[in-house]
Amino acid sequence: MSECILKALTQHMNVLSEITFGEHQDMLLDPYMAEIASLILKRKRKISLGIFTRINEKSVQALGRCLQKINRLSVDEQLLLPQAVFILREYVEHLSNPQGLTINGRSVATWLNEWKIHAGQPQDKVVQILQLLLGKIKTLIIADVMTYEIMDGLVPHLYVLDEVEFGENGKDINLDCYMDRIRQLILKRKEKISLVVRTKICTFNMKLIYFTYEKIKSLTIDEKYLSAGGRVMLHDDILRLPQDESIQVLKVNGLDANIWAKKWFMYDWKPEDNQSNTLFWLECCVQVKGVGILIDMTDKIMETLAPMLAEVLHEIQFGNAETGADINLDRYMVCVTTCMLQRKKKIVFKLFTELNAIGIHCLGKCLPKIYTLSIYEELLSPLCRSILCEFVRRLPWPHQQVSY
């Protein structure tokens, strides 16, 4: 940012509908922020403002003074010091008419109810802000750092928060060191809490979560960051929960606990995972009614899956819905089809991986055994799509539900 750019910008500020400063790096905006805020205040219509650069507390105060002229504010809070975010929060709280304003894509009420802690923030300032926020926030997100100082600051909040979230994108925040203390605090609560875990957690600490279920109203765990052993324990714990009213309202990853426990997803195997033991658990667990294969198919997986696919499963998914990566399913489609044709009841079939023409032909033959078919059309070649369409046309009325 420079004086020349600001001068050239001045004549545009009355007509722009949106302006963004920065690209997640420092662009030295502080010397010009007061003048920019003054130009915004002179506008007749509101503007969308994006700030993706570092600004100091004085600049945040200038931003706060012109909030009534902003309808959409986007700020990279990770680039701001916690006291700067707190100052912005105070300005937002004192807005006389916050309706219509969104901050980082959320309503004012939602944004005010949340607070996120990042690794780059000074620990002493984080603890100070946590003390000031007590009773003012409903959701606390500890994104990518966990320390004894943060744990101490978290203690009073765990008695009053509606939701606490640990981790972001699977980064290891060393949560295992604090889980026993977190468990003790949760158990002392009067009201139930929502617990979110998006970081690595060891099998022993998965067991600690089990002892807090009576105080948890919803549990969200990003399973792909857990070892297979940890996921087996989590499923076993959910299946063993007493079926009383207090547990029946528990949600796990957005589903009723008893529904979630009947689904099993196979993710990329990690070094600590034991594929044979995990498949043995899947084979023995009669409660599982839905399976998702997100890894490369193997003879051992097909051997375990075959009797389940022929009889007990209500839902089967092949492939990762997020990536659509090839899982080598073509080699096993004949066996999959054979198992499907033995079924007495129809099944929900989800296909999020590539198939060649022979694989699609196999799928087409077992369409009468499919209740709902979900498939990524972009993963099909024109030939494969035409083959599938021809099989669909031959189905007797009523047709199965087919979604692309």
Side-chain angles (χ1 to χ4, degrees):
M1 193 65 181
S2 65
E3 291 284 353
C4 294
I5 294 176
L6 180 60
K7 186 176 180 180
L9 181 63
T10 301
Q11 58 185 330
H12 295 279
M13 284 300 291
N14 285 329
V15 295
L16 288 175
S17 59
E18 180 177 346
I19 187 167
T20 299
F21 296 98
E23 198 173 28
H24 304 286
Q25 58 187 7
D26 195 356
M27 59 172 291
L28 302 176
L29 188 61
D30 288 324
Y32 313 99
M33 197 60 208
E35 180 63 24
I36 292 170
S38 177
L39 293 171
I40 291 175
L41 282 170
K42 293 177 182 178
R43 288 176 55 91
K44 294 181 179 179
R45 295 183 177 180
K46 293 186 177 183
I47 189 173
S48 295
L49 176 64
I51 298 181
F52 301 104
T53 181
R54 298 183 187 279
I55 56 175
N56 59 27
E57 296 171 42
K58 189 174 180 180
S59 294
V60 171
Q61 290 173 347
L63 171 62
R65 290 192 291 269
C66 65
L67 282 175
Q68 66 266 32
K69 291 292 185 178
I70 299 174
N71 57 15
R72 189 171 72 240
L73 176 63
S74 300
V75 180
D76 189 343
E77 298 178 52
Q78 195 167 350
L79 293 176
L80 303 183
L81 291 173
Q83 58 266 39
V85 181
F86 188 79
I87 290 171
L88 177 60
R89 176 189 179 88
E90 289 188 314
Y91 273 99
V92 173
E93 285 178 339
H94 289 93
L95 282 175
S96 58
N97 184 20
Q99 292 183 355
L101 173 63
T102 62
I103 303 177
N104 291 341
R106 292 167 290 176
S107 68
V108 166
T110 301
W111 184 79
L112 285 174
N113 283 333
E114 293 182 357
W115 187 268
K116 183 180 287 190
I117 298 174
H118 295 284
Q121 299 171 338
Q123 295 297 292
D124 57 336
K125 297 296 184 183
V126 168
V127 174
Q128 291 177 18
I129 297 300
L130 282 175
Q131 293 173 350
L132 295 172
L133 289 171
L134 185 59
K136 293 185 177 181
I137 57 173
K138 295 182 179 180
T139 301
L140 181 61
I141 304 169
I142 301 173
D144 50 10
V145 61
M146 189 68 180
T147 64
Y148 288 105
E149 291 79 11
I150 292 177
M151 185 66 238
D152 289 340
L154 175 63
V155 170
H157 287 274
L158 272 177
Y159 293 117
V160 296
L161 286 172
D162 288 348
E163 179 176 315
V164 62
E165 181 171 333
F166 297 100
E168 192 173 61
N169 300 322
K171 182 173 181 180
D172 190 357
I173 64 171
N174 200 27
L175 183 62
D176 289 319
C177 293
Y178 310 95
M179 273 308 300
D180 187 51
R181 192 176 180 190
I182 292 169
R183 174 189 66 85
Q184 294 175 26
L185 293 167
I186 290 177
L187 286 174
K188 293 178 181 178
R189 288 176 57 94
K190 293 181 179 179
E191 303 291 334
K192 294 188 177 184
I193 190 173
S194 295
L195 176 63
V196 181
V197 180
R198 304 189 191 279
T199 183
K200 295 178 181 178
I201 182 171
C202 72
T203 303
F204 174 78
N205 285 320
M206 290 301 305
K207 178 61 67 176
L208 291 181
I209 293 179
Y210 171 77
F211 296 110
T212 64
Y213 283 139
E214 63 184 45
K215 293 293 184 178
I216 294 179
K217 61 183 176 183
S218 72
L219 173 66
T220 301
I221 293 187
D222 204 328
E223 298 174 65
K224 61 177 174 285
Y225 302 126
L226 301 179
S227 68
R231 288 187 287 119
V232 167
M233 179 171 287
L234 181 61
H235 275 258
D236 282 344
D237 287 343
I238 296 293
L239 290 170
R240 286 202 307 268
L241 289 175
Q243 296 302 308
D244 56 28
E245 293 183 0
S246 63
I247 295 301
Q248 287 175 2
V249 298
L250 173 66
K251 299 285 185 179
V252 181
N253 291 344
L255 299 173
D256 289 342
N258 60 340
I259 295 177
W260 175 86
K262 295 176 182 177
K263 293 178 179 286
W264 179 260
F265 289 90
M266 292 188 179
Y267 297 94
D268 292 337
W269 299 109
K270 304 174 180 62
E272 65 270 24
D273 287 345
N274 187 317
Q275 182 173 349
S276 297
N277 288 345
T278 306
L279 289 172
F280 178 76
W281 176 89
L282 180 61
E283 191 174 15
C284 296
C285 188
V286 297
Q287 292 95 337
V288 171
K289 302 300 180 184
V291 173
I293 310 296
L294 281 65
I295 60 175
D296 286 348
M297 285 286 292
T298 65
D299 293 345
K300 184 62 178 177
I301 292 176
M302 190 65 243
E303 181 183 342
T304 304
L305 191 62
M308 302 178 69
L309 191 56
E311 186 175 356
V312 300
L313 289 183
H314 297 170
E315 179 180 317
I316 181 67
Q317 174 180 325
F318 292 105
N320 191 324
E322 297 178 359
T323 66
D326 186 5
I327 65 167
N328 193 32
L329 183 60
D330 289 317
R331 179 181 173 186
Y332 300 93
M333 273 307 294
V334 172
C335 184
V336 169
T337 302
T338 302
C339 295
M340 294 272 288
L341 291 176
Q342 296 175 24
R343 294 183 60 87
K344 295 180 180 180
K345 295 183 178 180
K346 294 184 179 181
I347 190 172
V348 174
F349 195 100
K350 297 180 179 181
L351 182 66
F352 304 129
T353 185
E354 298 178 9
L355 273 185
N356 60 23
I358 296 176
I360 289 294
H361 191 272
C362 291
L363 175 63
K365 289 197 295 184
C366 59
L367 282 180
K369 296 293 185 178
I370 296 176
Y371 173 71
T372 300
L373 172 64
S374 299
I375 188 169
Y376 279 178
E377 187 175 6
E378 59 267 26
L379 296 178
L380 300 181
S381 68
L383 173 61
C384 289
R385 190 179 186 283
S386 64
I387 293 173
L388 181 61
C389 287
E390 183 59 31
F391 273 103
V392 173
R393 291 191 191 99
R394 295 177 186 175
L395 287 173
W397 185 263
H399 293 324
Q400 279 84 357
Q401 300 177 32
V402 181
S403 59
Y404 295 95

